[in-house]
Amino acid sequence: MAAGDRPFLRFDSVTRQFGETTAVAGVTLDIRQGSFVALVGASGSGKSTLLKTVNRLIEPTAGTVLLEGKDVAGSQPSRLRRRIGYVFQGVGLFPHMTVAENIAIVPRLEGEKIGHGAIARLLELVELEPALARRRPDELSGGQRQRVGVARALAGNAHLLLMDEPFGALDPITRDALGRRVRDLHQELDLTTIMVTHDMAEALLLADRILVMDAGMIVADATPAQLLAGQGGKIAQALVAVPREQAQALADLTR
Ligand code: ADP
Ligand code: MG
């Protein structure tokens, strides 16, 4: 295969067992550079586990994950996490550190410092005032905290952005605004983005490819347009039915 055809990220028969539980069951998948992929599925379907095999927060029990053709198992976890932005489920900012210190933490793992100017630019990317750099997480709103989480994920000049239910705890308006900001950043910074969500509406609105997971397997791999046209199979369609029925109910109200 020529280098240009090489997938940016490849999961090759990735399996992860936790005792008797098979969290991820032989996932094989290629992700193209520049794509915005949503990983959707019910709670416990294996989304977080699959995502975490990319930055080695979880090691597969079988199979390999290749980033730009190289097995991630051969890379230092700290170096890998410097290159791969990761937005945690539930934010995960350190409460005793300022916003600036929280943002600087990933580069620091690799012995690098990032200055005030860089912090200010990162805050600007996520549309936060530079003055917020000196605050602690408990002095921020939920939406501001999540924006800091995104700024931190981008602090290492990552080209790959992994997000685990990043907007789950936010009110709908903040969630919508932040979702659109992340979509714009994806474009501006030429990122490859994988976003875990249980919200099919969010996936349909933000992603250009939707993977549906069920019991550790990818059961659908389709574009939003294909899913909206009824493709992708039963499990995917059951998820699409939720926002569709809500939209229909709203439309009926105005008739
Ligand atoms: P999702 O993110 O889709 O909700 P997860 O990947 O977190 O799903 O979990 C998939 C399955 O693996 C679940 O049955 C979960 O209970 C199990 N699991 C995840 N992490 C662990 C762990 N550290 N120890 C034991 N079981 C786990
Ligand atoms: Mg999860």
Side-chain angles (χ1 to χ4, degrees), residues 18 21 23 41-50 58 89 164-165 196:
F18 291 107
T21 307
S43 181
S45 57
K47 306 180 299 294
S48 295
T49 303
L50 184 65
I58 289 179
Q89 192 163 2
D164 197 346
E165 307 215 13
V196 167

Side-chain angles (χ1 to χ4, degrees), residues 6 33 44 63 84 113 127 240 246:
R6 190 176 65 193
Q33 179 148 31
I84 303 173
K113 279 198 176 154
E127 298 172 327
V240 173
Q246 281 179 338

Side-chain angles (χ1 to χ4, degrees), residues 27-134:
V27 168
T28 293
L29 187 68
D30 284 349
I31 290 178
R32 209 167 35 78
Q33 179 148 31
S35 50
F36 194 123
V37 178
L39 189 56
V40 189
S43 181
S45 57
K47 306 180 299 294
S48 295
T49 303
L50 184 65
L51 195 73
K52 288 175 183 170
T53 62
V54 178
N55 61 4
R56 297 188 64 193
L57 287 171
I58 289 179
E59 305 287 349
T61 37
T64 49
V65 179
L66 300 156
L67 180 59
E68 297 182 275
K70 277 172 65 184
D71 188 345
V72 296
S75 291
Q76 283 270 334
S78 64
R79 172 129 340 143
L80 209 56
R81 286 170 210 158
R82 170 92 165 70
R83 287 167 55 210
I84 303 173
Y86 180 62
V87 181
F88 298 70
Q89 192 163 2
V91 197
L93 298 179
F94 293 101
H96 57 289
M97 290 183 184
T98 63
V99 164
E101 287 164 344
N102 267 287
I103 291 175
I105 201 157
V106 173
R108 210 164 61 201
L109 292 175
E110 276 290 292
E112 273 174 59
K113 279 198 176 154
I114 70 170
H116 293 302
I119 300 273
R121 270 194 303 282
L122 285 160
L123 289 175
E124 196 181 319
L125 281 181
V126 296
E127 298 172 327
L128 289 177
E129 294 294 322
L132 291 184
R134 290 188 298 274

Side-chain angles (χ1 to χ4, degrees), residues 146-224:
Q146 200 49 285
R147 286 176 192 268
V148 173
V150 174
R152 176 177 58 188
L154 298 172
N157 295 318
H159 295 293
L160 175 58
L161 180 61
L162 309 176
M163 296 190 288
D164 197 346
E165 307 215 13
F167 316 130
L170 304 176
D171 67 84
I173 291 173
T174 305
R175 187 180 181 134
D176 183 57
L178 194 47
R180 274 186 284 153
R181 184 67 202 128
V182 165
R183 178 71 224 199
D184 290 345
L185 281 173
H186 166 85
Q187 230 79 19
E188 284 166 27
L189 302 177
D190 201 14
L191 301 173
T192 303
T193 302
I194 308 177
M195 179 181 73
V196 167
T197 175
H198 55 250
D199 183 344
M200 182 54 99
E202 186 168 78
L204 289 165
L205 290 168
L206 295 178
D208 35 52
R209 179 180 179 192
I210 297 176
L211 304 170
V212 179
M213 244 182 132
D214 184 60
M217 287 178 282
I218 304 292
V219 295
D221 178 354
T223 63

